[in-house]
Amino acid sequence: MDKILVTSALTYANGKLHIGHIAGSYLNADVFVRYQKLLKNDVIYIGGSDDYGTPISLKAEEEGVTPQSIVDKFNKSMRADLAGLNIRLDNFSGTSHQNHIKDSQDFFTNLNEAGYIKKRSLQQFYDASKNRFLSDRLVEGICPFCKADGARGDQCDECGKLIDAMELIDPKSKLSAETPIIKETTHWYLDLPKFENELKDWLETKTYWKDNVRNFILSWLNEGLQERAITRDLDWGVPIPLENTDGKVLYVWFDAPIGYLSSTKEFFQKIDKPEKWKDYWLDKNTKMVHFLGKDNIPFHTIIWPAMLSKQKENFVLPHNVPANEYLTLEGQKMSTSRDWTVWVEDYLQDFEGEYLRFVLAANAPETRDSDFNWKDFQLKINNDLNNVLGNLANRNFMFAKKYFDGNISRKNELSPNAKNTLTEVNDLASEIGKCYANYEVRKATKLFIDIARIGNKYFNETQPWKEIKTDSAKAEETLFICSEILRIISIVASPVIPKSMDKLRKMLGLNEEFFWQNLAKNQHNFIIDEVERLYRKIDDNEIEKQINLLEKKKR
Ligand SMILES: [Zn+2]
């Protein structure tokens, strides 16, 4: 049995969840976790909100409330949205929760005592009209690498490179739009160059990581690692654990991943096993898998392992970081500031959570950016879910009810055609397992629909509506094979569409708990329970409404 610790990137607590978050780091993690549970592996799924930092502090100032109240509001809305999509973390915490400050300070102290943190005086941008130092995110300008406009002082969204704010071309304060002045201050730096050789050796063992992730890291390492500031001037954050440090707090990129650890501790405290987090974090056999979007790759493949490796405790390092690329919306880059996105909360007002799971899984941006658009959403639900999978279930069950009172048994030796069909289906089922294990949700989703297509083709070719008149045993064989195909689908598709697959199993008269190993079990009969439609069709006007809404709210 494998022991697996799965995380979704912490979501910044200054807004609600949108489909980009779900496609980037939640759905893929949830599918993986569900698959591991089907294999009976020991898996926990951890996440939360990233609560500190400048945008939240500014928003609180704007609205005249405390930062904590903003964070609490969005943390709560994230939980509700995840529940609506049936994404089930074992613990969804937040970095403003109880354990986190102490854990983050310990990380700082251990790195500092081991000689991996440097103190430096430096020049920093200062907005004279607002009387405050500008953190990197509060400065925008032209990217020194790709020359894109609107690069932030910490990172360029266009090329993904991390930036030293001082290198921005034509910098402007985001607070006032003025050109900031430069003033001296003190900050603490993580000495990344000191980790370089160690990291290179470690990363060389990660030959099994996804190509997009490996390429990203290699280009980073080839440019040479830079020291990186881990403190900033702000009152909303984790204070650094040193005397006389004058209101410096840890940078969110430093303390956020520590949130995985503090959330794990919180989880085991809640279930009254406060020491059990060690079974995962301190056991070399644990496979720690971080799900995230590509902007988070350097933090989780370079900085986070570096931080983990110099602690007093022997922490496990990431086993895999299956980062996704970006999701676009109607062919355009998603943007929350322009409100060019689909908020999960809005989506759930109009549609089933299961449908979004299916469409985002079928379009998962695993190897390159992929697009979400409403027409395609409608097409996938109506064609793949309704006309292929739903139809196979419906025609088979209706027929079984009408002619066999819902009682379908396997009789005699199966015909060669029936046997071949089952073999084909079983081969695809085991391929689907490999896809899940390999973070290929998109392919897995295509393959389980392919299995339903095989079922429909078989049903059409054997023509049970004719068979029933001449040879009812042959007709029953057809229904038995189709039921068996549906049983197999109910297992292999369950990580992606768990709710409708539970419904399908109930209709098949299968009520017991099931695991991946049940695939191999030969079912001998099915007692078809009450039949209802698995899915509904999406009308054109529902889709027009969504497209109009998008255009209307766009800024
Ligand atoms: Zn750039």
Side-chain angles (χ1 to χ4, degrees):
M1 187 169 74
D2 285 346
K3 188 153 63 176
I4 307 168
L5 172 64
V6 172
T7 71
S8 285
L10 301 197
T11 309
Y12 204 58
N14 70 337
K16 293 178 289 187
L17 288 177
H18 56 70
I19 54 172
H21 294 123
I22 305 304
S25 65
Y26 284 106
L27 179 61
N28 38 0
D30 187 63
V31 168
F32 184 73
V33 168
R34 286 175 185 273
Y35 173 66
Q36 296 301 335
K37 285 184 177 164
L38 286 178
L39 294 180
K40 299 187 182 178
N41 280 329
D42 174 4
V43 55
I44 54 169
Y45 178 15
I46 297 295
S49 56
D50 180 4
D51 295 347
Y52 292 121
T54 311
I56 289 164
S57 150
L58 287 176
K59 197 170 190 131
E61 227 169 88
E62 254 170 53
E63 294 179 14
V65 295
T66 61
Q68 188 68 56
S69 71
I70 293 206
V71 161
D72 290 346
K73 180 177 86 180
F74 287 122
N75 182 286
K76 193 175 161 203
S77 105
M78 288 172 196
R79 285 166 196 264
D81 291 346
L82 291 170
L85 295 176
N86 216 348
I87 291 171
R88 286 195 291 209
L89 289 91
D90 289 296
N91 199 46
F92 190 86
S93 186
T95 55
S96 60
H97 290 199
Q98 50 179 349
N99 306 304
H100 185 73
I101 289 190
K102 162 123 186 17
D103 283 336
S104 303
Q105 291 180 334
D106 286 349
F107 263 75
F108 179 96
T109 303
N110 292 334
L111 284 163
N112 198 23
E113 285 174 1
Y116 288 89
I117 287 180
K118 285 181 174 170
K119 182 180 169 181
R120 296 209 179 285
S121 293
L122 73 149
Q123 312 289 320
Q124 193 176 350
F125 283 125
Y126 187 85
D127 187 328
S129 70
K130 297 277 177 187
N131 287 324
R132 62 190 281 178
F133 279 106
L134 295 172
S135 64
D136 292 346
R137 277 176 163 263
L138 286 182
V139 190
E140 263 187 11
I142 295 168
C143 172
F145 301 103
C146 74
K147 307 289 187 271
D149 205 0
R152 295 189 312 268
D154 57 343
Q155 190 169 24
C156 171
D157 280 339
E158 200 57 40
C159 65
K161 292 213 169 88
L162 299 184
I163 294 178
D164 177 349
M166 288 290 154
E167 289 171 0
L168 277 178
I169 301 162
D170 192 21
K172 295 275 187 253
S173 164
K174 283 187 80 176
L175 297 181
S176 63
E178 309 259 329
T179 302
I181 60 166
I182 292 172
K183 251 181 123 162
E184 180 156 308
T185 180
T186 306
H187 279 292
W188 282 259
Y189 284 71
L190 186 61
D191 192 355
L192 279 176
K194 208 168 169 178
F195 289 98
E196 201 163 305
N197 290 333
E198 236 174 288
L199 276 173
K200 275 184 176 159
D201 290 347
W202 178 70
L203 284 164
E204 259 173 30
T205 67
K206 304 299 173 194
T207 47
Y208 55 91
W209 284 10
K210 283 172 64 175
D211 286 344
N212 62 330
V213 177
R214 283 177 56 80
N215 292 340
F216 206 113
I217 301 165
L218 285 176
S219 80
W220 243 64
L221 287 176
N222 287 340
E223 279 163 30
L225 296 177
Q226 311 289 324
E227 291 179 5
R228 240 180 112 72
I230 56 176
T231 58
R232 59 200 334 212
D233 301 277
L234 198 70
D235 50 12
W236 180 238
V238 176
I240 64 169
L242 296 171
E243 299 290 320
N244 304 319
T245 53
D246 183 27
K248 306 281 180 198
V249 298
L250 291 174
Y251 229 123
V252 282
W253 67 256
F254 183 87
D255 82 79
I258 303 168
Y260 303 139
L261 173 67
S262 56
S263 182
T264 311
K265 287 185 179 177
E266 184 184 80
F267 169 60
F268 284 115
Q269 277 163 17
K270 279 181 189 166
I271 60 169
D272 254 350
K273 294 174 179 165
E275 297 299 313
K276 198 162 163 64
W277 65 271
K278 294 177 184 167
D279 284 1
Y280 294 86
W281 282 88
L282 304 181
D283 180 347
K284 290 287 166 235
N285 294 316
T286 302
K287 291 180 174 163
M288 182 157 71
V289 182
H290 298 304
F291 287 86
L292 39 91
K294 69 176 158 193
D295 51 334
N296 257 318
I297 293 173
F299 297 104
H300 288 75
T301 58
I302 291 178
I303 299 173
W304 174 231
M307 289 164 61
L308 283 167
S309 68
K310 302 300 166 199
Q311 299 304 309
K312 284 191 182 124
E313 281 151 320
N314 240 333
F315 284 120
V316 64
L317 299 181
H319 168 70
N320 209 334
V321 184
N324 270 354
E325 303 282 302
Y326 291 140
L327 188 71
T328 56
L329 173 60
E330 302 285 346
Q332 294 173 44
K333 191 176 172 181
M334 236 184 276
S335 158
T336 52
S337 57
R338 286 173 48 233
D339 208 352
W340 189 252
T341 189
V342 177
W343 302 100
V344 174
E345 187 180 271
D346 294 348
Y347 169 89
L348 288 171
Q349 301 259 321
D350 294 330
F351 299 105
E352 294 76 354
E354 192 94 335
Y355 294 1
L356 186 62
R357 290 181 69 105
F358 178 75
V359 172
L360 291 182
N363 277 345
E366 286 159 359
T367 50
R368 55 176 183 275
D369 292 357
S370 67
D371 192 48
F372 177 89
N373 66 79
W374 284 107
K375 288 265 188 245
D376 172 67
F377 174 83
Q378 181 188 27
L379 210 68
K380 285 205 159 64
I381 301 305
N382 289 354
N383 288 359
D384 293 349
L385 283 189
N386 271 283
N387 294 349
V388 180
L389 178 49
N391 183 42
L392 175 64
N394 201 53
R395 67 204 297 203
N396 182 56
F397 293 158
M398 291 311 229
F399 208 89
K401 281 280 194 194
K402 187 167 173 192
Y403 293 104
F404 297 92
D405 202 21
N407 201 333
I408 301 297
S409 311
R410 175 182 180 145
K411 299 267 164 53
N412 311 323
E413 182 74 0
L414 293 176
S415 67
N417 185 26
K419 269 190 199 162
N420 291 342
T421 304
L422 275 188
T423 306
E424 198 183 348
V425 166
N426 278 313
D427 288 349
L428 283 179
S430 46
E431 203 179 333
I432 290 173
K434 285 179 203 146
C435 291
Y436 286 134
N438 208 23
Y439 316 102
E440 294 173 313
V441 175
R442 187 182 181 121
K443 188 172 172 197
T445 304
K446 180 190 172 291
L447 292 180
F448 70 67
I449 293 297
D450 283 351
I451 293 183
R453 281 186 222 281
I454 291 171
N456 281 315
K457 183 163 164 270
Y458 173 79
F459 193 96
N460 290 341
E461 283 172 1
T462 51
Q463 302 185 314
W465 57 91
K466 281 189 186 166
E467 288 174 336
I468 191 73
K469 290 174 192 153
T470 54
D471 184 352
S472 83
K474 285 234 61 158
E476 189 171 357
E477 184 185 73
T478 295
L479 299 187
F480 174 79
I481 295 298
C482 288
S483 301
E484 181 63 359
I485 290 172
L486 286 164
R487 184 187 72 86
I488 290 167
I489 293 174
S490 78
I491 298 171
V492 298
S494 68
V496 175
I497 40 176
K499 210 167 160 183
S500 54
M501 291 304 96
D502 279 349
K503 209 160 142 185
L504 177 59
R505 292 184 67 79
K506 196 167 162 287
M507 286 191 255
L508 283 163
L510 305 168
N511 294 313
E512 78 285 9
E513 198 182 0
F514 64 100
F515 296 97
W516 199 263
Q517 71 194 36
N518 292 93
L519 281 174
K521 173 182 158 192
N522 284 320
Q523 190 78 19
H524 284 282
N525 71 308
F526 294 93
I527 298 169
I528 309 304
D529 202 346
E530 206 171 310
V531 179
E532 46 174 333
R533 293 204 78 88
L534 277 177
Y535 307 103
R536 70 176 182 90
K537 290 232 176 189
I538 310 249
D539 292 336
D540 288 346
N541 57 25
E542 291 180 84
I543 293 306
E544 271 160 41
K545 184 187 149 193
Q546 297 301 325
I547 294 171
N548 290 339
L549 183 78
L550 263 183
E551 291 294 341
K552 215 168 79 191
K553 70 187 178 76
K554 176 181 175 183
R555 289 195 284 265

